[in-house]
Amino acid sequence: MNDEIADAGSGIARRSVAAVLVSAPALVIVWSLLAWMPALPAELPTQWAGDEVVSRLPTFVFAGSAVAISGGAALFAWHAAMSPRNGEYHRRGFLISGSVAGATAAAWLISVIVARHPGQEIGGAGLVAVAALFYGLFPFACAPANVTTGERGNPDELDITQTEILAWSQTQVVPIFVWASVACVLVAIAFGYLPWFLAGPEGSNLSFAIVASLLVVMFSAFARVRVTVDLRGLRALSGTIGIRLLSVGLEDVTSVRTITLEPLRWGGWGYRIGARGRALVLRGGPAIVVTLRGGGEIAVTTPDAEQALSVFRALLRRRDS
C-alpha cells in the first residue's frame, strides 16, 4: 500500500513538472510583454524574405494571440496533469500542448527581438522556430508512462505440430512520430514551399524546406509500423514507406522474453543501439526481447507483447524438437 501511495505521489509530481514546462513559454511571453511593451512599435514583423520584412501584424493582436494560445496550452497541460486517466493520455497532452506553446513563444520572441533591434538580421532565427516545434518532447519525457519497468509475466504456452502454420502480426501507429512528421511538414510549407509560391525563390528558404522534407521521410518511417513473428523470425516493417526496419531470423534466436520498456532508459525513441543492445522503441510499455546466439539482445516494443511471446516460443520449441 505504501509503495502504491509513493508511486502515485511520484506520478503527480512528474506530471506537475511537465505542466510547469508547458507553462514556461506563456510566462516568458507575459514577462516580455511587461518588460518591453512600452518600447515596442505599433506593428511587429511576422514574415521575412531573406532579411527583409514582407508582412506585419498589429502588436496588440500578436500579443493577445500569443498569450491566448500559450495560455490555453498551459491550461490544457494542467488539466492533463490532474486528470485521472492513464499515463499515455497525459504524455500525449503534454507533447501537443508543449509543442504549441514552444512554437508560439518562439514566433513571438523572434518578432519582438527583431522589432527592438531594427538593424539586426534574421539570421538563424528560423532554426530556433523549427527547434521550438519539438519543445513538447521535454514535458513528454518528464511525464510518467502508464507502465513499470522489469520482466513481465509468462503467457500461456501454445502447442503446434510440425505441419501447422503459426504467425502473429500487429500494426501500431506511433503518436510521437506522427506529430513530428506533421510538424516538419508545416515547417517545410511555411518556410519553403509557400513563400516560393507567393514571392518566388528570393522569398523562400529552401534549405529549411529540404531539411524538413528529409525529416518527414525519416519520422514517417516510424509513424506506422507492422511487427511480425512467424517462421522467418521477428520482423518490423514501416507501414508508411514500406522499408524493413528490423529483421531477426528464427535460426539466430536462443530465447525470448517480454519486458516493460521505458524509452528514456534505452536512449529515446526510434532505432537505438547501446549498452543494453539494439532496440526498436516506438512507445513506452510492453516489449519483446530476443537473445541471439552471439549473446546480444534486440527489443521491439509492441502492445501485444505477450501474444507475440507465445507464438515465438512455440516456433522455437518446434524448431528445436
Side-chain angles (χ1 to χ4, degrees):
M1 177 65 71
N2 290 334
D3 290 340
E4 292 180 0
I5 295 174
D7 290 342
S10 174
I12 293 174
R14 291 179 62 181
R15 293 198 301 271
S16 297
V17 171
V20 168
L21 288 175
V22 177
S23 303
L27 296 176
V28 170
I29 293 173
V30 172
W31 172 83
S32 66
L33 273 172
L34 295 175
W36 298 337
M37 192 64 180
L40 293 180
E43 293 184 331
L44 292 177
T46 56
Q47 187 176 353
W48 291 261
D51 290 321
E52 181 182 353
V53 177
V54 295
S55 67
R56 298 177 181 273
L57 194 66
T59 299
F60 74 91
V61 174
F62 199 164
S65 300
V67 171
I69 294 172
S70 60
L75 290 175
F76 182 86
W78 282 105
H79 171 75
M82 300 301 148
S83 171
R85 299 190 190 184
N86 62 45
E88 288 305 312
Y89 169 82
H90 299 137
R91 303 182 91 202
R92 286 195 297 269
F94 294 134
L95 175 64
I96 297 168
S97 57
S99 296
V100 170
T104 302
W108 165 258
L109 290 175
I110 290 170
S111 293
V112 168
I113 291 172
V114 171
R116 295 183 72 241
H117 303 87
Q120 182 173 330
E121 297 182 351
I122 188 68
L127 292 176
V128 176
V130 173
L133 290 170
F134 300 97
Y135 178 76
L137 293 175
F138 292 103
F140 178 86
C142 285
N146 194 34
V147 297
T148 56
T149 58
E151 300 282 343
R152 300 176 67 88
N154 290 321
D156 296 334
E157 291 188 354
L158 297 175
D159 293 321
I160 57 173
T161 65
Q162 291 292 338
T163 57
E164 283 184 296
I165 297 176
L166 182 63
W168 170 91
S169 180
Q170 185 173 65
T171 299
Q172 50 186 312
V173 176
V174 189
I176 189 171
F177 289 111
V178 172
W179 283 108
S181 300
V182 171
C184 288
V185 168
L186 294 176
V187 168
I189 293 173
F191 287 93
Y193 303 125
L194 185 59
W196 178 293
F197 176 76
L198 296 177
E202 67 281 357
S204 67
N205 193 326
L206 284 183
S207 60
F208 282 158
I210 293 172
V211 171
S213 298
L214 292 175
L215 289 175
V216 169
V217 176
M218 183 181 71
F219 289 140
S220 62
F222 297 95
R224 186 172 182 269
V225 177
R226 182 178 183 181
V227 181
T228 302
V229 175
D230 56 21
L231 287 172
R232 293 168 291 185
L234 173 65
R235 294 179 301 142
L237 183 73
S238 170
T240 49
I241 61 177
I243 64 172
R244 184 175 296 179
L245 302 174
L246 182 144
S247 180
V248 182
L250 188 67
E251 67 279 3
D252 298 324
V253 178
T254 60
S255 64
V256 59
R257 70 185 194 279
T258 58
I259 63 170
T260 300
L261 185 150
E262 282 197 21
L264 293 181
R265 297 194 176 189
W266 286 72
W269 291 259
Y271 190 79
R272 319 306 300 174
I273 300 177
R276 291 173 174 260
R278 290 184 288 159
L280 182 60
V281 183
L282 304 174
R283 64 181 72 218
I288 184 169
V289 180
V290 298
T291 303
L292 306 179
R293 293 190 183 278
E297 290 188 336
I298 298 177
V300 179
T301 57
T302 177
D304 197 13
E306 282 77 12
Q307 187 62 35
L309 176 64
S310 295
V311 172
F312 216 134
R313 284 180 171 173
L315 293 171
L316 290 176
R317 285 196 301 270
R318 185 170 69 177
R319 182 201 65 182
D320 296 335
S321 63

